[in-house]
């Protein structure tokens, strides 16, 4: 899912300008002679040591917890030039700026107004054939035949599910478990509502708008039909919240043997809430996500590191997304005749229309979910597309009328994403991709991924920024790392969101010239936590987004900086190819990294993945002593460096002397403290760690620079000013 920042573009502009200003000022300092008076004979203390009131030992301001300044529309607006040069805001995605050249440059390199980005790669001649896959790509554990009808006036979905589930384990299974996700919205007491506060991103639940799922019948279909509804019970394995009905247990009359299967017919209905958390309605727009009784995942021994087979069971939490087995979906959807329907998969027969209702038929295989959207206002546009790495696919746009004039931008972004990801990681194997653009008031359904279907942001602005492209690129990235790799988003969300954010940045830089401002992004990480963690175990949504999206992406970027872009590309491709359709874990990714690089990455993963460390190297003292020896006078310069966070290999350190001489050295970064001694004919003016900002996991750069001698009063004012400016600017950021 795409996370979003709801502050106005002015805030980001000021923040970017400030970051650039700090960078330029730092660069200016690093290239200037700062001789001021005679050198000190004693240690020059760091700002943190000298002024503890400015740097509290613990606690302090968390800029992500301060309130944002909201725009009236809830997201960014730019004027409509020939091409929008500024991007909007998206929680968890990069901070960038549109650049005028074919290759991305740093922000400081932006001088001219940008030109339009290049078009998508031209399509090969293609007529995509919409039919089942010639051979299974996945284990196809489950098969659904769903028949549903939309009551548009009553905001209800009524239907039946005929499901076949195959036991993939080595033991008999006596009970099944199903997710009833819509019950997350049935009261303020559910686990989702309590954890989320009734909101997701900037979309807030409307007062007195609730949703729910009612299961009225569960029958076996094995020749001796039996009603199981009286056996059904709600379970809450995560928190014991008896007001949470998002997971049910259904004991079976007889066990399902290993390799055997069971057929169930379920009758259900869904009361739709006003959309705010991926599903619901907005006037006559409907988004049906997680809308049917969905069987949980039964994991055989060895799956995702399990030592004993069993069900993977979790409730619907405020931060968590989903996890399900691959299978086949055959779905019939009846809607009022005025409606158009977008859905996972492809149509199996023409739409039937009796004058009052239409019935759509869809089929999809080797997917682990099925979603659909409906509206009488959709404007439909379709184009076939193929490249040397991408078999024929039909790209289908379901546009809100307000964005009809933007269809070329949506289509181009989709083509670029499909072409690049297929080239880099492996071919997109499905023959359709649908893009739904919700109405402005339906933005709660926006920025979400489902197999072969994504949603863009709601059509709030007539001339949106590059955020339009970015969300399309992000959600199509999910087709690979959510749709096909399909990790467990309850327990290891970073394998989906962090990976997708990483590849999103890579594509936006390659195709749109947007380079992420990693210096600014790393400064957002004020409360780092382990990435291998249950989604609901983070301290709220801000903390979850800060780590699962941004810090996870920075961890991958740090790996890239160590091994090089070419090797990192090989790592990502190997991981995708090895684990598509197989539900991998973090340890599986680590194994891929070690296999490709032929070296152990255990220390790196221990610090930055399995634990929540960041890099923090500081210049903590400078001592300059004038020495006369054999009639020659020189200066003995000693610089104290400390490691206050995780270990980083080859830490660059720059030394500037009063005579203009500059010296660059590399510290291995392993020791907790080191004193570097440099004898020179002039005293040391200053020392700086990582002056080129190459260490992307460094988030406290204010302690990485020190002058030999500074007026103490001026120093106090400077440090207080920096902290207050940072607090104010980051206070505009909301996750």
């Amino acid at each position: 899912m795409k996370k979003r920042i709801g502050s106005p573009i002015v805030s980001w502009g000021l923040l970017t300008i400030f970051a650039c200003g700090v960078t330029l000022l730092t660069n200016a300092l690093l290239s200037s002679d700062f001789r001021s008076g005679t050198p000190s004979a004693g240690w020059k203390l760091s700002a943190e040591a000298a002024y503890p009131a400015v740097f509290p030992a613990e606690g302090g301001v968390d800029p992500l917890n301060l309130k944002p300044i909201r725009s009236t529309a809830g997201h960014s607006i730019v004027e409509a030039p020939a091409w929008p040069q500024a991007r909007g805001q998206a929680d968890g995605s990069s901070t960038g700026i549109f650049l005028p050249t074919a290759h991305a440059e740093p922000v400081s390199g932006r001088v001219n107004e940008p030109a339009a980005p290049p078009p998508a790669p031209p399509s090969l001649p293609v007529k995509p054939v919409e039919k089942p896959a010639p051979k299974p790509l996945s284990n196809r554990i489950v098969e659904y035949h769903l028949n549903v009808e939309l009551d548009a006036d009553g905001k209800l979905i009524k239907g039946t599910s005929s499901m076949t589930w195959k036991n993939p384990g080595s033991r008999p299974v006596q009970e099944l478990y199903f997710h009833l996700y819509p019950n997350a919205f049935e009261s303020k007491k559910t686990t989702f509502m309590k954890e989320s506060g009734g909101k997701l991103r900037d979309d807030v639940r409307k007062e007195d708008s609730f949703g729910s799922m009612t299961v009225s019948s569960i029958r076996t279909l094995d020749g001796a039909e039996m009603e199981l509804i009286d056996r059904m019970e709600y379970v809450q394995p995560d928190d014991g919240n008896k007001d949470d009905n998002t997971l049910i247990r259904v004991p079976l009359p007889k066990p399902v043997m290993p390799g055997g299967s069971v057929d169930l017919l379920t009758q259900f209905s869904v009361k739709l809430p006003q959309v705010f958390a991926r599903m619901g309605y907005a006037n006559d727009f409907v988004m049906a996500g997680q809308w049917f009784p969905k069987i949980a995942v039964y994991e055989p021994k060895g799956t995702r590191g399990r030592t004993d087979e069993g069900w993977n069971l979790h409730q619907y939490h405020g931060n968590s997304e989903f996890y399900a087995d691959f299978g086949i979906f055959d779905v019939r959807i009846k809607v009022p005749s005025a409606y158009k329907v977008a859905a996972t998969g492809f149509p199996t027969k023409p739409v039937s229309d009796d004058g009052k209702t239409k019935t759509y038929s869809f089929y999809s295989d080797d997917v682990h979910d099925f979603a659909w959207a409906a509206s009488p206002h959709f404007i439909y546009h379709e184009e076939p597309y193929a490249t040397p790495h991408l078999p024929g696919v039909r790209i289908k746009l379901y546009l809100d009328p307000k964005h009809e004039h933007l269809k070329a931008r949506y289509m181009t972004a989709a083509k670029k994403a499909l072409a690049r990801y297929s080239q880099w990681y492996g071919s997109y194997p499905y023959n359709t991709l649908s893009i739904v653009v919700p109405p402005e008031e339906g933005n709660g359904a926006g920025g979400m991924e489902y197999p072969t279907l994504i949603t863009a942001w709601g059509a709030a602005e007539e001339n949106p920024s590059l955020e339009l492209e970015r969300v399309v690129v992000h959600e199509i990235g999910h087709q690979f790392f959510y749709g096909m790799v399909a990790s467990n988003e309850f327990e290891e969300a970073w394998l989906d969101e962090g990976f997708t954010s990483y590849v999103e940045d890579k594509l936006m830089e390659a195709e749109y010239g947007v380079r992420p401002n990693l210096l600014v992004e790393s400064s957002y990480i004020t409360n780092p936590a382990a990435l291998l963690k249950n989604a609901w175990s983070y301290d709220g949504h801000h903390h979850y987004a800060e780590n699962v999206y941004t810090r996870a992406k920075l961890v991958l970027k740090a790996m890239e900086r160590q091994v090089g872009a070419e090797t990192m590309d090989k790592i990502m491709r190997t991981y995708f190819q090895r684990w598509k359709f197989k539900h991998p874990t973090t340890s599986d990714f680590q194994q891929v990294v070690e296999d490709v690089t032929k070296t152990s990455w255990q220390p790196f993963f221990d610090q930055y993945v399995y634990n929540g460390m960041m890099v923090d190297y500081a210049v903590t003292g400078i001592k300059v002593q004038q020495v006369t020896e054999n009639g020659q006078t020189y200066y003995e310069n000693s610089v104290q460096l400390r490691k206050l966070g995780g270990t980083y290999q080859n830490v660059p350190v720059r030394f500037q002397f009063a005579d203009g001489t500059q010296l660059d050295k590399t510290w291995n970064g392993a020791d907790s403290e080191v004193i570097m001694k440099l004898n020179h004919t002039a005293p040391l003016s200053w020392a700086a760690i990582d002056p080129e900002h190459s260490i992307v996991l460094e988030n406290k750069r204010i302690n990485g620079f020190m002058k030999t001698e500074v007026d103490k009063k001026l120093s106090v004012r400077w440090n207080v000013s920096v902290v207050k400016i940072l607090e104010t600017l980051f206070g505009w950021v909301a996750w």
Side-chain angles (χ1 to χ4, degrees), residues 94-115:
S94 305
T95 307
I97 193 164
F98 188 77
L99 301 170
T101 54
H103 62 283
E105 298 174 355
V107 170
S108 58
R110 182 176 182 262
V111 179
N112 303 315
E113 286 300 310

Side-chain angles (χ1 to χ4, degrees), residues 75-89:
H75 53 115
S76 60
I77 307 171
V78 296
E79 295 301 322
W83 185 261
Q85 66 269 27
R87 58 146 297 187
Q89 289 82 51

Side-chain angles (χ1 to χ4, degrees), residues 7 10-12 14-15 18 61-69 524 720-734:
S7 55
V10 172
S11 303
W12 278 103
L14 290 174
L15 185 59
F18 174 75
V61 176
D62 179 357
L64 298 178
N65 288 333
L66 301 180
K67 296 293 184 183
I69 298 175
Y524 295 163
V720 171
S721 298
V722 167
V723 171
K724 292 302 179 186
I725 290 171
L726 287 173
E727 289 178 3
T728 302
L729 288 174
F730 289 143
W732 294 339
V733 179

Side-chain angles (χ1 to χ4, degrees), residues 389-410:
H389 303 282
L390 175 67
V393 58
R394 294 186 192 274
I395 304 175
K396 303 177 179 183
L397 297 182
Y398 296 83
L399 295 159
D400 181 81
K402 193 171 183 177
H403 275 195
E404 181 180 10
H405 64 292
L406 299 172
K407 68 180 182 182
R409 286 179 59 185
Y410 283 108

Side-chain angles (χ1 to χ4, degrees), residues 15-265:
L15 185 59
T16 303
I17 291 170
F18 174 75
C20 296
V22 170
T23 303
L24 291 171
L25 177 60
T26 304
N27 290 339
L29 293 176
L30 297 184
S31 60
S32 303
D33 183 353
F34 276 97
R35 185 187 310 181
S36 55
T38 56
S40 169
W43 288 106
K44 166 69 176 67
L45 298 177
S46 71
E48 184 170 355
Y51 312 110
V54 180
F55 299 88
E58 56 186 43
V61 176
D62 179 357
L64 298 178
N65 288 333
L66 301 180
K67 296 293 184 183
I69 298 175
R70 290 291 307 275
S71 70
T72 56
H75 53 115
S76 60
I77 307 171
V78 296
E79 295 301 322
W83 185 261
Q85 66 269 27
R87 58 146 297 187
Q89 289 82 51
D91 183 4
S93 67
S94 305
T95 307
I97 193 164
F98 188 77
L99 301 170
T101 54
H103 62 283
E105 298 174 355
V107 170
S108 58
R110 182 176 182 262
V111 179
N112 303 315
E113 286 300 310
S123 178
L124 298 174
V126 61
K127 291 184 179 179
V129 178
E130 294 178 328
K131 62 180 182 180
K135 61 179 181 179
L137 301 174
S138 68
N139 53 13
R140 297 187 180 180
I141 294 296
V142 64
E143 180 174 339
Y144 292 96
H145 295 268
L146 300 165
N147 285 273
V148 298
E149 181 174 359
L150 171 65
D151 176 355
D153 295 331
K155 311 303 182 188
L156 292 171
I157 297 172
K158 300 177 182 179
T160 62
S161 168
S162 176
M163 184 208 72
T164 300
W165 178 80
K166 180 175 63 178
N167 180 357
S170 59
R171 295 179 182 172
V173 173
Q174 187 67 62
E175 56 192 14
L176 303 182
Y177 291 84
F178 292 85
H179 296 284
L180 308 187
Y181 288 116
N183 283 340
F185 314 121
E186 67 179 345
S187 78
K188 295 181 180 180
K189 297 179 180 180
T190 70
T191 296
F192 179 94
M193 288 291 197
K194 290 168 69 174
E195 292 178 353
S196 69
K199 64 180 292 186
L200 187 69
R201 300 178 304 215
D202 292 325
D203 299 297
V204 182
R205 181 188 68 84
K206 305 297 188 296
E207 195 63 30
D208 299 323
S209 174
F210 294 96
S212 62
M213 173 181 282
T214 299
V215 176
S216 56
S217 175
I218 306 175
R219 299 184 67 84
T220 59
L221 294 175
D222 58 358
E225 291 190 17
M226 179 179 291
E227 178 61 62
L228 305 180
I229 194 68
D230 292 337
R231 300 177 175 222
M232 184 187 85
E233 64 173 327
Y234 297 103
V235 293
Q236 303 84 19
D238 296 327
D239 63 4
N241 176 11
K242 294 303 181 182
D243 293 308
D244 188 86
N245 297 324
T246 57
L247 187 66
I248 61 170
R249 173 179 173 267
V250 181
L252 298 172
K254 61 180 181 180
V256 185
M257 303 307 290
S261 63
V262 61
D263 299 317
L264 295 180
L265 177 63

Side-chain angles (χ1 to χ4, degrees), residues 633-644:
T633 299
Y634 63 93
Y635 293 87
E636 186 180 85
N637 304 284
S638 300
V639 180
Q640 183 184 56
L641 308 176
R642 285 182 178 167
K643 181 181 71 171
L644 306 177

